[in-house]
Amino acid sequence: MGESGVLSSEDTGVHEITDTLQPPKKLKKPLDNNVYSTKKTVAQGMMDLALLTANASQLKLVLKYNQEKSAIFFIHVSCICISITLQIIVGVMLILNSRYDINRPSHHSRADLMNNLTVIGIFLVTVVNVIAASFSDST
């Protein structure tokens, strides 16, 4: 009993209702690396497809409207063709990369190598596109 002669919750062992009626904690599922890798590969493939479409359209416009066959014209067309070729290679590497199950230790080294080659390919595509854009005719 408390000093005033009234039973307190400590004396009776009764806990407040708010202590016992808390919502259960949500359990987070662990991240499945294979699902993450697949989603990343699909996103990269979509970006590659968009860039491939843009480069094909740019090549069509350059060939259609650029009548003067100067050295810059040939450099520009060559850069676009190299970029399209590299994008097709990167697309094939993305397909091969998606075949590996990174949850299996036997696939780790091959998946890592393919992923690194894909990143190098994407970097080369970016460099070639920057060079192609620098030789484009802004008029």
Side-chain angles (χ1 to χ4, degrees):
M1 282 200 181
E3 295 175 11
S4 64
V6 177
L7 288 174
S8 67
S9 63
E10 293 172 0
D11 295 333
T12 60
V14 176
H15 299 286
E16 291 188 28
I17 293 177
T18 57
D19 290 341
T20 59
L21 295 179
Q22 294 180 359
K25 294 183 180 179
K26 291 183 180 179
L27 297 176
K28 290 186 179 181
K29 288 180 18 181
L31 176 67
D32 184 3
N33 291 333
N34 211 38
V35 171
Y36 170 77
S37 177
T38 302
K39 287 181 180 180
K40 182 183 128 194
T41 301
V42 168
Q44 284 177 331
M46 294 298 162
M47 293 297 290
D48 190 42
L49 185 63
L51 187 58
L52 181 64
T53 304
N55 277 347
S57 176
Q58 186 179 15
L59 181 62
K60 181 181 93 171
L61 290 173
V62 166
L63 293 175
K64 186 175 184 179
Y65 293 113
N66 197 340
Q67 300 301 324
E68 59 185 65
K69 307 295 186 215
S70 64
I72 291 178
F73 168 79
F74 288 112
I75 292 172
H76 192 204
V77 170
S78 298
C79 284
I80 295 172
C81 290
I82 290 170
S83 177
I84 289 173
T85 304
L86 285 173
Q87 287 170 35
I88 292 170
I89 293 170
V90 166
V92 170
M93 287 192 299
L94 285 171
I95 291 170
L96 293 175
N97 199 15
S98 68
R99 297 179 61 137
Y100 294 115
D101 182 3
I102 61 174
N103 291 326
R104 295 175 62 188
S106 62
H107 287 189
H108 285 182
S109 62
R110 288 178 281 172
D112 190 43
L113 174 67
M114 189 60 65
N115 190 47
N116 290 338
L117 291 174
T118 303
V119 169
I120 291 169
I122 291 170
F123 174 75
L124 291 174
V125 167
T126 304
V127 169
V128 170
N129 278 331
V130 167
I131 293 170
S134 67
F135 284 104
S136 68
D137 189 14
S138 61
T139 57

